[in-house]
Amino acid sequence: MGALFAAQLNSGMNAAWILCYLGHAPKWQSLVLAEIKQIAAKYNTDISLPLLDQLPNIPVEAWESDFRVLDACLRDSIRLQLLGTAFRRNVSGKDLHVGDEVVPNGAFVTYHLGDTHQDPALFPDPEQWDPSRHLDENAAYRKVPHGYVGWGSGRHPCLGMRFAKLEMSVVLAYFVAAFEFQTVEKDGRRMEKLPKVDQNGHAAMKPSRPVFLKAKERTS
Ligand code: HEM
């Protein structure tokens, strides 16, 4: 049950946060749009069609694996939204020895995800959403075990990852293909600063104050 609720929460919250990030970072919105156009062109013979009409011709395999920039946007959003602790219980029937530590039979072990995801040695300027970290093959976090745990790690990684990535690519690509958008305050003024994620949260959360998106239909 926990996994089902977590799945809904993580998918919805990350999709919404990524739209906020893209609305706040025109550079990344343009890069995502360029990627969508490039992939659409690969699977359409008539690229004079409106972009939205080209998207249905993209095969599911491409939705799953071709959207590298969108995936980087998602990875860094998950890094920031995955809050709180992961935990495991020792149900082996005996004490477990891990390095110098002993986990008694029946005891819980908890791990604060921020220990990894907020570590400036692995993610410089860690509070900043920055997809470029994940487009760098030599990024520091790739060089340490469990350096990124956004989809879990070890023997119980996320079973829904493939589905979650697919739904995320489809939802976000359709939105970006349809609208040019920016983050604004309630009265329509440009939003100067996006609220930071409260790292004391226990699970993915809405922004601490409302973020509005001002959108207009794309003409090209
Ligand atoms: C952006 C969306 C998602 C994120 C960031 C995410 C993240 C995670 C993480 C970090 C874990 C490991 C938790 C731990 O080690 O304690 C996990 C486990 C799991 N996730 Fe997801 N998840 C997402 C979406 C989904 C979806 C859509 C489904 C189902 C359709 C799903 C099903 C599961 C299941 C069943 C597990 C437990 C796996 C096990 O214990 O063997 N997740 N997820």
Side-chain angles (χ1 to χ4, degrees):
M1 285 302 283
L4 271 182
F5 284 118
Q8 274 200 331
L9 185 74
N10 282 325
S11 306
M13 284 296 174
N14 276 289
W17 268 101
I18 293 168
L19 290 180
C20 297
Y21 291 132
L22 292 177
H24 207 69
K27 174 188 132 182
W28 284 102
Q29 194 177 136
S30 303
L31 288 171
V32 168
L33 180 66
E35 175 172 71
I36 298 167
K37 285 183 176 171
Q38 184 210 335
I39 295 170
K42 197 168 149 191
Y43 297 102
N44 281 274
T45 41
D46 183 2
I47 57 163
S48 66
L49 283 175
L51 186 54
L52 276 179
D53 294 337
Q54 297 177 37
L55 298 189
N57 293 329
I58 298 177
V60 72
E61 297 77 18
W63 282 112
E64 281 195 316
S65 55
D66 285 10
F67 287 84
R68 287 188 62 240
V69 178
L70 256 185
D71 188 53
C73 295
L74 173 61
R75 276 174 81 81
D76 218 44
S77 175
I78 292 175
R79 182 182 67 77
L80 291 165
Q81 318 311 325
L82 199 69
L83 304 171
T85 51
F87 59 90
R88 297 286 186 272
R89 189 176 198 188
N90 177 5
V91 292
S92 66
K94 54 184 189 295
D95 293 353
L96 278 179
H97 296 261
V98 184
D100 295 336
E101 306 289 338
V102 179
V103 184
N105 181 37
F108 287 91
V109 173
T110 64
Y111 175 72
H112 197 274
L113 297 156
D115 279 359
T116 298
H117 288 165
Q118 289 296 311
D119 181 347
L122 301 181
F123 301 98
D125 198 1
E127 287 183 318
Q128 189 64 31
W129 176 76
D130 179 5
S132 70
R133 319 172 188 275
H134 306 285
L135 297 169
D136 176 3
E137 293 303 317
N138 295 313
Y141 80 82
R142 295 189 195 275
K143 298 188 174 151
V144 296
H146 318 293
Y148 179 84
V149 291
W151 294 110
S153 195
R155 294 174 70 178
H156 288 269
C158 178
L159 283 178
M161 181 182 75
R162 210 173 138 187
F163 173 76
K165 281 181 164 190
L166 176 63
E167 65 174 347
M168 214 63 79
S169 299
V170 172
V171 166
L172 295 170
Y174 269 83
F175 194 95
V176 174
F179 300 109
E180 189 181 337
F181 54 101
Q182 67 172 111
T183 47
V184 290
E185 303 289 349
K186 192 175 181 181
D187 62 7
R189 273 181 304 121
R190 196 174 74 86
M191 185 168 262
E192 294 295 334
K193 267 193 164 185
L194 208 54
K196 280 186 178 167
V197 176
D198 176 2
Q199 292 295 321
N200 286 319
H202 296 295
M205 291 187 303
K206 289 195 272 190
S208 54
R209 63 189 185 90
V211 176
F212 293 85
L213 294 184
K214 186 175 178 181
K216 69 174 185 197
E217 216 172 311
R218 279 193 199 281
T219 44
S220 60

